[in-house]
Amino acid sequence: MPVLVLSDKLKGDLQFFEGTSPEVVKEFVRISLEFIRKGANPKLYNSAAKSLAVEVRRVEAVVEATAQLFAEAAKLQLSEADFADSLSVLGLAPDLNQLLNILYLEHRSEIRQIQKELSFDMAHYSNLDWRLDVQVASRALRSQLNAMFVLKLDTLENGETQSHMLQSDYTNLKHLADELDDALKEIRSAHVRRIARQKF
């Protein structure tokens, strides 16, 4: 059961909703979704600040906190119950938590779609074929040994397979294999897992 870990700053900014009307919360969620779609809009911040009689910086902080809350929850694909558990640490009124939950569920798929469009999609490994070419002699040198690995690396990007032809000697290929092995060991380390848990 994933739950969002909210920073103290985020909690403080979201406390703004305590004591506000449902219409104000809906308007902030609307502005936050605009922020996710298109980025900051100072005109919206100014008009919201005037109507609520608060500083523009305060409105901006609440919009960014709401956008971060919804974006992180959508990224983790939190269910209704998980999102409600994440909100419980804010100490907001139950009806306000319920309203935020409803608004999150309404817009979750749209936020996920925006995140997919903005994400950097890299090529993924699909297949690797290799062959060992050995030259044992030539006209100039009768007894020589020249071994080269020829590799065909297939990668998958946007549903299309691309082939890359590579050539390497044993020393470089062994070095590459050792580096990849070290990277895999590093990913399994406790330090990296702890960082990954905190980030996501």
Side-chain angles (χ1 to χ4, degrees), residues 22-95:
E23 289 74 27
V24 170
V25 175
K26 287 178 184 177
E27 184 62 18
F28 268 95
V29 169
R30 186 187 70 76
I31 296 170
S32 298
L33 291 170
E34 280 297 310
F35 177 78
I36 292 171
R37 285 186 206 106
K38 301 176 184 174
N41 187 341
K43 288 180 183 178
L44 284 175
Y45 299 163
N46 287 330
S47 62
K50 283 179 186 174
S51 65
L52 294 169
V54 294
E55 290 183 12
V56 175
R57 283 184 17 221
R58 181 77 171 130
V59 170
E60 188 177 346
V62 175
V63 167
E64 289 176 4
T66 308
Q68 184 180 349
L69 174 72
F70 278 40
E72 290 296 318
K75 183 168 78 171
L76 293 174
Q77 297 181 355
L78 294 185
S79 66
E80 183 177 357
D82 293 338
F83 189 71
D85 288 344
S86 299
L87 290 177
S88 65
V89 298
L90 295 175
L92 300 174
D95 57 337

Side-chain angles (χ1 to χ4, degrees), residues 142-185:
R142 289 199 173 195
S143 61
Q144 68 174 3
L145 187 62
N146 187 10
M148 294 295 279
F149 286 92
V150 178
L151 304 115
K152 180 184 171 199
L153 175 65
D154 294 333
T155 58
L156 193 63
E157 187 171 11
N158 297 327
E160 294 181 15
T161 303
Q162 293 182 336
S163 295
H164 310 275
M165 298 300 293
L166 309 167
Q167 187 173 343
S168 176
D169 60 1
Y170 173 78
T171 307
N172 285 324
L173 200 57
K174 175 79 170 105
H175 176 68
L176 177 64
D178 290 343
E179 290 295 317
L180 290 172
D181 194 40
D182 290 345
L184 286 172
K185 287 176 186 170

